[in-house]
Amino acid sequence: MTSDYTQVFRDTEAVEKYESVTYAPDSYASRINDRQRDYLRDLVRREFEGHHPPVHHDFACGTGRAIRTLHGLVREAHGYDTSAEMMAKAAEVGSRAYWHQVATDGPVPTPVAAGFPAIVTVFRLLLNVDETVRDRALAFAAKALPHRGSGLLVVENHGNAGSVRHLRARRHHGERWFAELSHEEVAALLDRHGFEIVERRGFSMLTPSLHEHRLARLADAAARRLPGTDGYAVNVLYTARRVHA
């Protein structure tokens, strides 16, 4: 993660706002989170049925949203973040994991040796950092998942360049807070670190401002049931497996 991220989230007020405002009940982010939770829990049940429960490694864990999502389905969880304050908040709100503060740069952090199978999650990071940090996150995932049978990687893109959000790109060109990634860019990032996408799932066709309108939400719910619409979702999860070193 970048030093800017670490500096911002050393402020306990910023941490509190992230947890209680960004993810307030019934907010856009919390609605997406609820849908992701259902998908991830079903994914783990499907993929690890009949196996030893996986260990969970959550890189850029923040306040433990992904960790809480998989409570009860993993044998242990490990959260990694540059912000001690974020991890303290994660523990405070009930995320059950072992916490590991990692450096902002230098050697790629080494995952705790907790055995296999494993699931690695990287949520709400790719858009917030530069390419160097994206590579750092995926290099961590490659360490945690050294071969195809090791388990699964799930990464989030919360600004799909093929979605309606892209209509704002020209207006906000050059603004640091506005970033987007295409499916092709995510696939290339994963391939660079030895992963291939095996499943892609979208969770909303709407931006936060559109999501406040009831009719838009109903249209969104209907559209998400149609095959092929995942490619146009604003928020997308990519599930991947390791295919080469």
Side-chain angles (χ1 to χ4, degrees):
M1 288 134 282
T2 66
S3 57
D4 285 351
Y5 168 93
T6 306
Q7 291 299 326
V8 167
F9 288 112
R10 280 180 180 159
D11 180 350
T12 55
E13 289 186 8
V15 173
E16 182 62 36
K17 180 179 178 181
Y18 181 81
E19 180 63 24
S20 62
V21 177
T22 301
Y23 282 94
D26 207 36
S27 67
Y28 175 79
S30 69
R31 291 169 190 156
I32 299 297
N33 184 59
D34 289 344
R35 294 170 192 169
Q36 290 179 340
R37 180 182 186 276
D38 291 342
Y39 168 73
L40 284 170
R41 292 185 70 82
D42 179 66
L43 175 72
V44 169
R45 291 186 181 107
R46 280 190 286 118
E47 294 293 331
F48 298 102
E49 183 180 10
H51 298 275
H52 195 42
V55 62
H56 183 192
H57 299 281
D58 187 25
F59 191 79
C61 64
T63 59
R65 176 170 55 98
I67 287 169
R68 294 194 297 277
T69 287
L70 294 181
H71 276 173
L73 295 180
V74 298
R75 66 181 185 273
E76 63 182 75
H78 295 269
Y80 307 79
D81 206 286
T82 60
S83 170
E85 289 78 7
M86 288 288 264
M87 291 187 290
K89 186 65 177 179
E92 179 187 320
V93 297
S95 305
R96 300 190 297 272
Y98 299 98
W99 308 107
H100 311 278
Q101 188 170 6
V102 297
T104 58
D105 51 25
V108 174
T110 298
V112 171
F116 303 106
I119 181 167
V120 178
T121 51
V122 183
F123 275 44
R124 212 171 177 89
L125 177 72
L126 299 188
L127 289 192
N128 299 335
V129 296
D130 60 26
E131 189 172 1
T132 300
V133 184
R134 291 175 194 150
D135 280 318
R136 185 174 174 81
L138 269 292
F140 170 89
K143 281 188 172 186
L145 301 167
H147 54 80
R148 188 172 182 84
S150 301
L152 295 174
L153 167 65
V154 184
V155 298
E156 179 184 29
N157 174 11
H158 61 288
N160 170 26
S163 69
V164 68
R165 184 178 183 271
H166 180 69
L167 297 175
R168 303 164 58 195
R170 179 174 294 181
R171 185 196 319 169
H172 297 295
H173 179 70
E175 295 183 18
R176 190 170 179 275
W177 67 270
F178 188 90
E180 57 182 0
L181 286 170
S182 68
H183 299 310
E184 292 75 18
E185 287 172 314
V186 175
L189 172 65
L190 289 164
D191 179 71
R192 192 156 66 239
H193 293 275
F195 291 95
E196 70 171 356
I197 297 169
V198 296
E199 191 166 305
R200 185 179 72 187
R201 182 65 59 90
F203 293 91
S204 178
M205 313 293 285
L206 305 176
T207 60
S209 58
L210 291 172
H211 216 269
E212 297 308 309
H213 300 282
R214 181 174 178 274
L215 289 179
R217 292 202 302 272
L218 291 173
D220 177 44
R224 284 188 287 108
R225 297 190 188 99
L226 299 175
T229 57
D230 286 340
Y232 304 100
V234 172
N235 183 288
V236 182
L237 291 185
Y238 307 83
T239 299
R241 286 191 183 276
R242 190 78 185 276
V243 290
H244 59 84

